[in-house]
Short mmCIF file of all heavy atoms in Angstrom, two decimals:
data_model
loop_
_atom_site.label_atom_id
_atom_site.label_comp_id
_atom_site.label_asym_id
_atom_site.label_seq_id
_atom_site.Cartn_x
_atom_site.Cartn_y
_atom_site.Cartn_z
N PHE O 668 36.53 -42.55 37.50
CA PHE O 668 35.90 -41.31 37.10
C PHE O 668 34.91 -41.57 35.93
O PHE O 668 35.15 -41.18 34.79
CB PHE O 668 36.95 -40.27 36.76
CG PHE O 668 36.38 -38.87 36.74
CD1 PHE O 668 35.73 -38.33 37.81
CD2 PHE O 668 36.50 -38.06 35.62
CE1 PHE O 668 35.18 -37.06 37.81
CE2 PHE O 668 35.97 -36.77 35.61
CZ PHE O 668 35.34 -36.30 36.70
N PRO O 799 40.77 -33.45 34.88
CA PRO O 799 39.30 -33.45 34.98
C PRO O 799 38.85 -32.60 36.13
O PRO O 799 37.65 -32.28 36.30
CB PRO O 799 38.95 -34.91 35.26
CG PRO O 799 40.14 -35.44 35.94
CD PRO O 799 41.34 -34.70 35.43
N GLU O 800 39.76 -32.19 37.00
CA GLU O 800 39.44 -31.26 38.12
C GLU O 800 40.78 -30.58 38.42
O GLU O 800 41.86 -31.13 38.22
CB GLU O 800 38.92 -31.99 39.30
CG GLU O 800 39.87 -33.08 39.85
CD GLU O 800 39.47 -33.66 41.23
OE1 GLU O 800 38.41 -33.37 41.71
OE2 GLU O 800 40.31 -34.37 41.79
N ALA O 802 41.75 -29.90 41.36
CA ALA O 802 42.15 -30.26 42.70
C ALA O 802 43.46 -31.06 42.78
O ALA O 802 44.31 -30.83 43.69
CB ALA O 802 41.01 -31.08 43.35
N ARG O 832 36.19 -32.55 30.67
CA ARG O 832 35.48 -33.76 30.88
C ARG O 832 34.70 -34.14 29.61
O ARG O 832 34.04 -33.27 29.04
CB ARG O 832 34.47 -33.71 32.03
CG ARG O 832 35.16 -33.49 33.32
CD ARG O 832 34.15 -33.46 34.50
NE ARG O 832 34.88 -33.04 35.67
CZ ARG O 832 34.34 -32.80 36.86
NH1 ARG O 832 33.04 -32.98 37.02
NH2 ARG O 832 35.06 -32.41 37.91
N GLU O 834 31.89 -35.11 28.70
CA GLU O 834 30.56 -35.31 29.23
C GLU O 834 29.70 -36.09 28.21
O GLU O 834 29.67 -35.78 27.02
CB GLU O 834 29.91 -33.93 29.53
CG GLU O 834 30.61 -33.17 30.62
CD GLU O 834 30.31 -33.69 31.97
OE1 GLU O 834 29.55 -34.68 32.13
OE2 GLU O 834 30.85 -33.11 32.98
N ILE O 841 26.07 -23.41 28.78
CA ILE O 841 27.36 -23.52 29.49
C ILE O 841 27.17 -24.24 30.83
O ILE O 841 28.10 -24.25 31.66
CB ILE O 841 28.00 -22.13 29.68
CG1 ILE O 841 27.08 -21.23 30.43
CG2 ILE O 841 28.47 -21.57 28.35
CD1 ILE O 841 27.77 -19.93 30.94
N PHE O 842 26.03 -24.88 31.06
CA PHE O 842 25.86 -25.57 32.35
C PHE O 842 26.80 -26.79 32.37
O PHE O 842 27.43 -27.04 33.37
CB PHE O 842 24.43 -25.97 32.56
CG PHE O 842 24.19 -26.75 33.83
CD1 PHE O 842 24.11 -26.03 35.03
CD2 PHE O 842 24.17 -28.14 33.88
CE1 PHE O 842 23.96 -26.75 36.25
CE2 PHE O 842 24.02 -28.83 35.05
CZ PHE O 842 23.93 -28.13 36.26
N ARG O 843 26.80 -27.55 31.30
CA ARG O 843 27.63 -28.73 31.28
C ARG O 843 28.48 -28.69 30.03
O ARG O 843 27.98 -28.90 28.95
CB ARG O 843 26.75 -30.02 31.29
CG ARG O 843 27.53 -31.22 31.74
CD ARG O 843 26.66 -32.47 31.83
NE ARG O 843 25.56 -32.40 32.73
CZ ARG O 843 25.69 -32.43 34.06
NH1 ARG O 843 26.89 -32.58 34.63
NH2 ARG O 843 24.61 -32.33 34.85
N MET O 844 29.76 -28.37 30.22
CA MET O 844 30.63 -28.19 29.12
C MET O 844 31.72 -29.29 29.12
O MET O 844 31.95 -29.93 30.07
CB MET O 844 31.35 -26.85 29.19
CG MET O 844 30.39 -25.67 29.23
SD MET O 844 31.14 -24.27 30.02
CE MET O 844 31.93 -23.50 28.65
N ARG O 845 32.37 -29.41 27.96
CA ARG O 845 33.50 -30.39 27.91
C ARG O 845 34.81 -29.69 28.29
O ARG O 845 35.69 -30.36 28.76
CB ARG O 845 33.58 -30.98 26.52
CG ARG O 845 32.28 -31.77 26.21
CD ARG O 845 32.49 -32.84 25.14
NE ARG O 845 31.39 -33.80 25.21
CZ ARG O 845 30.36 -33.81 24.33
NH1 ARG O 845 30.29 -32.96 23.32
NH2 ARG O 845 29.43 -34.73 24.48
N PHE O 847 35.79 -26.47 30.70
CA PHE O 847 35.19 -25.46 31.57
C PHE O 847 36.19 -25.05 32.63
O PHE O 847 37.34 -25.47 32.62
CB PHE O 847 33.91 -26.05 32.29
CG PHE O 847 34.18 -27.32 33.06
CD1 PHE O 847 34.32 -27.25 34.44
CD2 PHE O 847 34.30 -28.55 32.43
CE1 PHE O 847 34.50 -28.42 35.21
CE2 PHE O 847 34.55 -29.70 33.20
CZ PHE O 847 34.65 -29.63 34.57
N GLN O 849 37.13 -24.22 36.72
CA GLN O 849 36.77 -24.43 38.10
C GLN O 849 37.50 -23.45 39.02
O GLN O 849 38.57 -22.95 38.67
CB GLN O 849 37.18 -25.86 38.56
CG GLN O 849 36.30 -26.93 38.00
CD GLN O 849 36.66 -28.32 38.55
OE1 GLN O 849 37.81 -28.67 38.69
NE2 GLN O 849 35.63 -29.09 38.86
N GLU O 851 38.64 -23.83 42.87
CA GLU O 851 38.65 -24.83 43.93
C GLU O 851 39.59 -24.41 45.09
O GLU O 851 40.58 -23.72 44.86
CB GLU O 851 39.10 -26.16 43.40
CG GLU O 851 38.18 -26.71 42.32
CD GLU O 851 38.35 -28.24 42.13
OE1 GLU O 851 39.44 -28.64 41.73
OE2 GLU O 851 37.38 -28.94 42.35
N GLN O 853 41.31 -26.36 48.54
CA GLN O 853 41.47 -27.53 49.41
C GLN O 853 41.96 -26.99 50.77
O GLN O 853 42.93 -26.30 50.85
CB GLN O 853 42.54 -28.50 48.89
CG GLN O 853 42.54 -28.71 47.37
CD GLN O 853 41.29 -29.42 46.92
OE1 GLN O 853 40.68 -28.96 45.97
NE2 GLN O 853 40.87 -30.48 47.55
N HIS O 891 24.62 -35.06 48.93
CA HIS O 891 24.83 -36.08 47.91
C HIS O 891 24.35 -37.42 48.30
O HIS O 891 24.60 -37.88 49.42
CB HIS O 891 26.37 -36.24 47.60
CG HIS O 891 26.87 -35.19 46.67
ND1 HIS O 891 28.00 -35.40 45.95
CD2 HIS O 891 26.46 -33.89 46.46
CE1 HIS O 891 28.21 -34.31 45.22
NE2 HIS O 891 27.29 -33.40 45.53
N TYR O 897 36.06 -40.33 46.14
CA TYR O 897 36.99 -39.82 47.17
C TYR O 897 36.28 -39.33 48.41
O TYR O 897 36.92 -39.02 49.40
CB TYR O 897 37.83 -38.72 46.58
CG TYR O 897 37.02 -37.62 45.89
CD1 TYR O 897 36.24 -36.72 46.63
CD2 TYR O 897 36.94 -37.52 44.53
CE1 TYR O 897 35.48 -35.76 46.04
CE2 TYR O 897 36.18 -36.60 43.88
CZ TYR O 897 35.42 -35.71 44.65
OH TYR O 897 34.63 -34.78 44.03
N GLU O 914 23.09 -28.34 40.53
CA GLU O 914 24.35 -28.08 41.25
C GLU O 914 25.11 -26.89 40.68
O GLU O 914 25.34 -26.81 39.47
CB GLU O 914 25.23 -29.33 41.14
CG GLU O 914 26.61 -29.17 41.71
CD GLU O 914 27.56 -30.34 41.49
OE1 GLU O 914 27.03 -31.45 41.05
OE2 GLU O 914 28.74 -30.20 41.76
N LEU O 915 25.54 -26.04 41.60
CA LEU O 915 26.38 -24.94 41.24
C LEU O 915 27.79 -25.09 41.84
O LEU O 915 28.83 -24.76 41.24
CB LEU O 915 25.72 -23.64 41.74
CG LEU O 915 26.43 -22.33 41.60
CD1 LEU O 915 26.84 -22.02 40.18
CD2 LEU O 915 25.53 -21.18 42.10
N GLU O 916 27.81 -25.56 43.09
CA GLU O 916 29.09 -25.71 43.79
C GLU O 916 29.01 -26.99 44.62
O GLU O 916 27.93 -27.36 45.12
CB GLU O 916 29.30 -24.49 44.68
CG GLU O 916 30.42 -24.68 45.68
CD GLU O 916 31.02 -23.33 46.16
OE1 GLU O 916 30.43 -22.29 45.87
OE2 GLU O 916 32.07 -23.41 46.80
N GLY O 917 30.18 -27.61 44.80
CA GLY O 917 30.20 -28.83 45.67
C GLY O 917 31.12 -28.54 46.87
O GLY O 917 32.17 -27.85 46.73
N HIS O 919 33.04 -30.80 49.72
CA HIS O 919 33.34 -32.25 49.91
C HIS O 919 34.30 -32.44 51.04
O HIS O 919 35.31 -31.74 51.15
CB HIS O 919 33.98 -32.81 48.66
CG HIS O 919 33.23 -32.51 47.39
ND1 HIS O 919 33.81 -32.02 46.21
CD2 HIS O 919 31.88 -32.65 47.07
CE1 HIS O 919 32.89 -31.85 45.29
NE2 HIS O 919 31.73 -32.22 45.78
N ARG O 921 36.99 -34.79 51.94
CA ARG O 921 37.68 -35.82 51.12
C ARG O 921 38.56 -36.74 51.96
O ARG O 921 39.35 -37.50 51.40
CB ARG O 921 38.52 -35.16 50.05
CG ARG O 921 37.75 -34.49 48.95
CD ARG O 921 38.58 -33.85 47.90
NE ARG O 921 39.14 -34.73 46.90
CZ ARG O 921 39.00 -34.60 45.57
NH1 ARG O 921 38.37 -33.57 45.07
NH2 ARG O 921 39.53 -35.45 44.76
N GLU O 954 37.03 -29.67 50.80
CA GLU O 954 37.20 -28.94 49.52
C GLU O 954 35.95 -28.15 49.18
O GLU O 954 34.83 -28.58 49.41
CB GLU O 954 37.47 -29.99 48.43
CG GLU O 954 36.96 -29.65 47.05
CD GLU O 954 37.13 -30.76 46.06
OE1 GLU O 954 38.18 -30.84 45.46
OE2 GLU O 954 36.18 -31.58 45.89
N SER O 956 34.37 -26.46 45.72
CA SER O 956 34.65 -26.55 44.30
C SER O 956 33.47 -25.99 43.50
O SER O 956 32.36 -26.53 43.51
CB SER O 956 34.85 -27.98 43.90
OG SER O 956 34.97 -28.07 42.49
N ILE O 957 33.72 -24.86 42.82
CA ILE O 957 32.64 -24.19 42.08
C ILE O 957 33.01 -24.05 40.63
O ILE O 957 34.18 -23.76 40.33
CB ILE O 957 32.27 -22.85 42.72
CG1 ILE O 957 31.22 -22.08 41.89
CG2 ILE O 957 33.46 -21.99 42.99
CD1 ILE O 957 30.71 -20.86 42.58
N GLY O 958 32.04 -24.26 39.73
CA GLY O 958 32.29 -24.05 38.32
C GLY O 958 32.09 -22.61 37.96
O GLY O 958 31.05 -22.01 38.23
N ASP O 960 31.99 -21.20 35.02
CA ASP O 960 30.94 -21.04 33.90
C ASP O 960 29.56 -21.20 34.42
O ASP O 960 28.65 -20.46 34.03
CB ASP O 960 31.21 -22.06 32.79
CG ASP O 960 32.70 -22.13 32.44
OD1 ASP O 960 33.44 -22.85 33.08
OD2 ASP O 960 33.10 -21.43 31.50
N ARG O 961 29.38 -22.11 35.37
CA ARG O 961 28.04 -22.31 35.96
C ARG O 961 27.62 -21.07 36.77
O ARG O 961 26.45 -20.67 36.81
CB ARG O 961 28.01 -23.52 36.85
CG ARG O 961 27.34 -24.66 36.22
CD ARG O 961 27.22 -25.83 37.05
NE ARG O 961 27.48 -27.00 36.20
CZ ARG O 961 27.38 -28.25 36.56
NH1 ARG O 961 27.03 -28.55 37.78
NH2 ARG O 961 27.62 -29.22 35.70
N1 LIG I 180 37.26 -31.39 42.76
C1 LIG I 180 35.90 -31.74 42.93
C2 LIG I 180 35.10 -31.70 41.69
O1 LIG I 180 35.58 -31.50 40.61
P1 LIG I 180 32.60 -31.78 40.84
O2 LIG I 180 31.32 -31.78 41.63
O3 LIG I 180 32.83 -32.87 39.84
O4 LIG I 180 33.75 -31.79 41.97
C3 LIG I 180 32.77 -29.16 40.88
O5 LIG I 180 32.78 -30.35 40.15
C4 LIG I 180 32.05 -28.08 40.15
O6 LIG I 180 32.56 -27.93 38.81
C5 LIG I 180 30.52 -28.38 39.94
O7 LIG I 180 29.78 -28.01 41.04
C6 LIG I 180 30.20 -27.53 38.69
O8 LIG I 180 29.94 -26.20 39.10
C7 LIG I 180 31.53 -27.53 37.91
N2 LIG I 180 31.45 -28.51 36.83
C8 LIG I 180 31.60 -29.81 36.90
N3 LIG I 180 31.46 -30.37 35.68
C9 LIG I 180 31.20 -29.35 34.82
C10 LIG I 180 30.92 -29.25 33.42
N4 LIG I 180 30.99 -30.31 32.67
N5 LIG I 180 30.67 -28.02 32.92
C11 LIG I 180 30.64 -26.90 33.68
N6 LIG I 180 30.92 -26.98 34.97
C12 LIG I 180 31.16 -28.16 35.56
#
Side-chain angles (χ1 to χ4, degrees):
F668 196 55
E800 58 170 8
R832 296 182 189 177
E834 295 285 358
I841 57 168
F842 179 80
R843 199 177 300 286
M844 302 155 87
R845 297 203 162 102
F847 58 100
Q849 288 186 316
E851 299 200 296
Q853 317 297 130
H891 277 207
Y897 50 74
E914 172 186 350
L915 173 56
E916 169 156 10
H919 310 130
R921 291 179 80 128
E954 150 185 270
S956 173
I957 174 171
D960 313 85
R961 255 183 221 186

